[in-house]
Amino acid sequence: MKYLLTTVHTNLPPNGKTKLLSSYCHLFIGTEFTSEEYWEFGKYFKQLVEELNTRYERTRPLHTNLQKGYFSARLDNTDKSLWLAFEPIKRTYPELMRDVLGQDRC
């Protein structure tokens, strides 16, 4: 299975830490991941959040959550978070045309 990072959303309070995390995560939009790379990137995301928590110790810490389909960094006891939305790549265009629509155009 392959995944594509489609969007990064945030409603975290704007500060140096959250702006840096958001801008960095936006670099990965449109990136394709294999299943192994997906979880490897999750570890990297978690490490990045931990490093930013240490670097910006005067801000409230963010806590990560790694799930199939999304990763998030959130503030405890709030609805404030940054989350990365992933979509599974189901098939190629030729496969859609052939296998789903029954047309042999590709």
Side-chain angles (χ1 to χ4, degrees):
M1 176 72 65
K2 291 187 178 183
Y3 298 91
L4 182 70
L5 177 58
T6 58
T7 55
V8 175
H9 300 280
T10 185
N11 65 352
L12 289 169
N15 58 41
K17 176 171 70 175
T18 60
K19 287 179 182 178
L20 185 59
L21 179 61
S22 178
S23 66
Y24 195 75
C25 289
H26 274 85
L27 295 173
F28 291 89
I29 292 175
T31 302
E32 178 182 288
F33 299 87
T34 65
S35 292
E36 183 177 294
E37 292 166 341
Y38 179 82
W39 295 113
E40 185 179 310
F41 178 62
K43 290 177 189 175
Y44 179 75
F45 175 72
K46 184 173 183 169
Q47 179 183 359
L48 174 63
V49 171
E50 289 170 358
E51 288 174 7
L52 290 173
N53 282 337
T54 301
R55 182 173 165 190
Y56 292 88
E57 61 185 32
R58 294 181 63 192
T59 63
R60 291 174 46 201
L62 296 170
H63 301 278
T64 55
N65 186 10
L66 309 177
Q67 298 291 324
K68 200 168 223 179
Y70 76 94
F71 298 157
S72 68
R74 63 173 174 73
L75 291 173
D76 272 347
N77 302 317
T78 73
D79 65 346
K80 305 297 183 201
S81 65
L82 173 138
W83 65 101
L84 293 76
F86 295 86
E87 286 292 326
I89 298 174
K90 298 175 185 174
R91 58 186 133 335
T92 64
Y93 174 71
E95 290 169 339
L96 172 71
M97 295 302 289
R98 182 187 65 238
D99 300 339
V100 179
L101 299 177
Q103 299 177 14
D104 193 17
R105 293 187 182 170
C106 300

